[in-house]
Amino acid sequence: MLAVIAGHVIGLMIPESWTEAMGINEHTYHVLTLPLSLVAGACTIVGLALLIYRRRTVTRVLERTSTGDKIMYVFLGLAVTLGVLASWWASGIFNDGHNYREDVSVWFRSILIFQPDGAAMAGAPMWFQLHAIAGMMLFAIWPFTRLVHVFSAPLQYVARPYVVYRSRDAQPTGNRAPRRGWEPSRRD
Ligand code: HEM
C-alpha cells in the first residue's frame, strides 16, 4: 500500500510537463513506473486477501468484525481491484495502453484547486472512471469505518519507555536467576 500511495502521489500530482522538462518523456516515464505499479497492485491484492482470510478464520478477530467492517471491505476491495484493472489498462500489455496523466491526473488536480474539470475525466477509459468513483466512495465512508485509524498512528510509541510486565510469581523465570532490572517486584 505504501508503494501504491507513493505511485498515486507521483502519478496524480506531478504534471506530465514537469517530468518532460526533466528530460523524462512519456514512454520512459511509463517504462519506469508501470512494472512498479503492477507489482504494487498485485501485492496489495494478495495482502488484502490475506487480511480477509485472517478476519474470517481467526475466531478472536471474527467475533470483533462489525457490519461496518464488512461494508468497508466491499469498498476497499472494489477500489483496489478496479485500480489494478486500470493499471493493466494503462500498461499497454493487453491493448494500446493509456496515458492517464493527460486526463485522470488533470481531473484529480482540478478538484484539489476547487475548479473541478469533469470534461478531463469524461474522456478517460471506463476502468479509470470506475476506479475513481470507487476511490471517492471509499474516501466518503472512511471517517465512519475502522480506516479512521490511519489518522491516529501512535507515533509516540517510537519514543515512549518500555512497558515492563513483571510476574508476581516468586520464581518467574524458571530455574534461571532473574537478570538485573528484571527481578520480581516485592509484594509488601
Ligand atoms: C479518486 C482517487 C483515485 C484516483 C484518481 C486514482 C487513480 C489511479 C490511477 C491513474 C491508477 C493507475 C496507475 C498506474 O498504472 O500507474 C491507479 C492504480 C491503482 N489504484 Fe488508484 N486512484 C484513486 C484512489 C485509490 C484508492 C482509494 C485506492 C485504494 C485504497 C487505490 C488503489 C489503487 C491500486 C491498488 C492501483 C494499482 C496499483 C498501482 O498502480 O499503484 N486508488 N489509481
Side-chain angles (χ1 to χ4, degrees), residues 4 8 12 34 37 41 76 83-84 87 100 104 128 131-132 138-139:
V4 170
H8 279 71
L12 297 177
L34 279 171
S37 295
L76 183 62
V84 171
S87 202
Y100 62 84
V104 181
F128 291 89
H131 175 55
L138 184 68
F139 291 149

Side-chain angles (χ1 to χ4, degrees), residues 109-122:
R109 289 197 300 273
S110 76
I111 294 175
L112 296 184
I113 55 169
F114 301 111
Q115 288 172 13
D117 180 3
M121 193 49 152

